[in-house]
Amino acid sequence: MTDIVSLEVASWRPTAQPDIQRAAVDAVEGGGVLVLPELAFSLGADELRFLSPEWSDGRAKNISFEGGAVKGARGTPDDLAALARMIGRFAACAGELVAALFPRYAPYVTRARTSFRPQPAVGRPVSWRKDDARLHVDAFPSRPNHGERILRVFSNVNREQDRVWRVGENFAAMAQTFLPRVRPQLPGMPSILSMLGVTKGLRSEYDHLMLGLHDRAKADLDYQQRCEQRVVHFAPGTTWLCFSDQVMHAAMSGQHMLEQTIHVPTSALYRPDSSPLAVLERLCGRRLLPTH
Ligand SMILES: [Fe+2]
């Protein structure tokens, strides 16, 4: 079962003691969720207006911020600049937090996108594959990552409403159930997908299996209901972190969340043996990345 570990951290720039760092590493690399109930991301008086779905452009699921630009939002240029400042401030805070708690990840904190999610977590009609109210590990069809980790920092900026997740069994148990149901990748398929622009770069066997686990778990409604799981409430003003490629998670309700994704190479992990790549290679009995 996924561990939920709470730590008393009340600053985005904590002077993290070794025992706090160790507990944080154990929590996230061990496949748990690290919860910081005292670490709120504060909005300025002028930013509270952004807690409304009206800022979404209606097409994208989330408002995203990458390379200084906001995507998926609508408003006047002044509004969008203010929104970008708010999301950018969160990105900086999340980066400083991660660098303080996990010094080995520090060189990688600026590498990925930030999202602001002013829409309700559930309610939009989506296909089963995109239904994040079903337990899953994150895996992205178009972005093969060759074992690179997906660390996510979330903060509930809703003033009243909890963000509610379900979390499931641990990664190895889930993988044991679903690996036998993942069909092997056809030879030649990675090159074709890459040539057609479906993937950015070649989809490794690792990426293929992670996508398969994501899909097979979401497709199995019996598993969704009966597997070992628990409900977790993230109260307003709570920040939490996890490796979303390892934690079985499902978004059940909530609105107004900020999220920072950080890609951590396996070489920066403290305990690479517990990564999904290592677990899958043990279960398969072979290497899952091409050798160069
Ligand atoms: Fe997810």
Side-chain angles (χ1 to χ4, degrees):
M1 171 62 96
T2 298
D3 279 336
I4 308 295
V5 178
S6 284
L7 287 179
E8 288 179 24
V9 170
S11 161
W12 290 96
R13 294 170 198 82
T15 41
Q17 306 301 324
D19 56 330
I20 293 278
Q21 289 177 339
R22 205 162 27 243
V25 166
D26 285 347
V28 299
E29 291 203 16
V33 179
L34 175 61
V35 186
L36 310 176
E38 294 160 34
L39 187 57
F41 181 71
S42 325
L43 302 186
D46 185 47
E47 291 171 334
L48 296 176
R49 64 198 165 113
F50 293 128
L51 301 182
S52 158
E54 76 184 42
W55 300 96
S56 290
D57 70 5
R59 292 189 296 274
K61 186 168 109 186
N62 302 318
I63 294 173
S64 65
F65 178 76
E66 197 168 16
V70 172
K71 282 191 208 137
R74 66 175 159 209
T76 67
D78 280 355
D79 290 335
L80 294 180
L83 186 58
R85 279 196 297 279
M86 177 184 88
I87 305 175
R89 200 172 73 246
F90 176 73
C93 283
E96 284 178 290
L97 175 73
V98 167
L101 292 178
F102 314 97
R104 295 189 56 174
Y105 306 170
Y108 310 101
V109 295
T110 54
R111 284 179 46 189
R113 85 169 61 183
T114 318
S115 72
F116 173 48
R117 308 183 184 186
Q119 303 280 358
V122 290
R124 292 159 62 99
V126 287
S127 67
W128 63 266
R129 196 177 262 121
K130 290 194 170 164
D131 183 2
D132 289 338
R134 301 183 188 206
L135 288 160
H136 65 283
V137 286
D138 288 344
F140 304 114
S142 63
R143 282 177 284 153
N145 65 22
H146 292 227
E148 194 172 64
R149 308 300 310 281
I150 305 168
L151 178 65
R152 292 189 142 163
V153 183
F154 304 91
S155 203
N156 183 4
V157 289
N158 195 307
R159 320 258 293 165
E160 288 143 19
Q161 214 183 334
D162 291 355
R163 189 107 186 157
V164 183
W165 276 15
R166 285 184 296 148
V167 295
E169 61 182 349
N170 71 38
F171 182 85
M174 179 278 294
Q176 262 168 329
T177 302
F178 290 109
L179 265 185
R181 300 193 213 167
V182 180
R183 274 187 239 125
Q185 180 161 242
L186 296 172
M189 191 54 86
S191 320
I192 293 169
L193 292 175
S194 172
M195 238 156 42
L196 293 175
V198 176
T199 57
K200 285 187 199 133
L202 292 176
R203 186 181 284 173
S204 65
E205 191 176 3
Y206 168 79
D207 291 292
H208 173 78
L209 293 179
M210 289 296 286
L211 278 171
L213 295 176
H214 168 276
D215 289 358
R216 297 282 62 81
K218 278 190 176 175
D220 188 336
L221 288 175
D222 192 53
Y223 175 83
Q224 290 288 330
Q225 280 177 2
R226 289 174 210 274
C227 71
E228 196 183 19
Q229 57 188 280
R230 67 195 274 194
V231 175
V232 191
H233 286 255
F234 303 104
T238 298
T239 294
W240 66 105
L241 303 86
C242 70
F243 277 112
S244 64
D245 53 359
Q246 186 173 9
V247 173
M248 287 293 279
H249 62 285
M252 303 316 294
S253 66
Q255 188 175 8
H256 307 318
M257 182 175 73
L258 281 154
E259 174 267 333
Q260 174 67 46
T261 299
I262 293 169
H263 295 304
V264 181
T266 47
S267 59
L269 296 174
Y270 293 80
R271 320 211 195 310
D273 276 358
S274 52
S275 69
L277 176 62
V279 170
L280 293 181
E281 288 191 335
R282 277 200 296 275
L283 289 173
C284 295
R286 62 179 185 279
R287 304 298 306 270
L288 298 173
L289 295 180
T291 45
H292 296 288

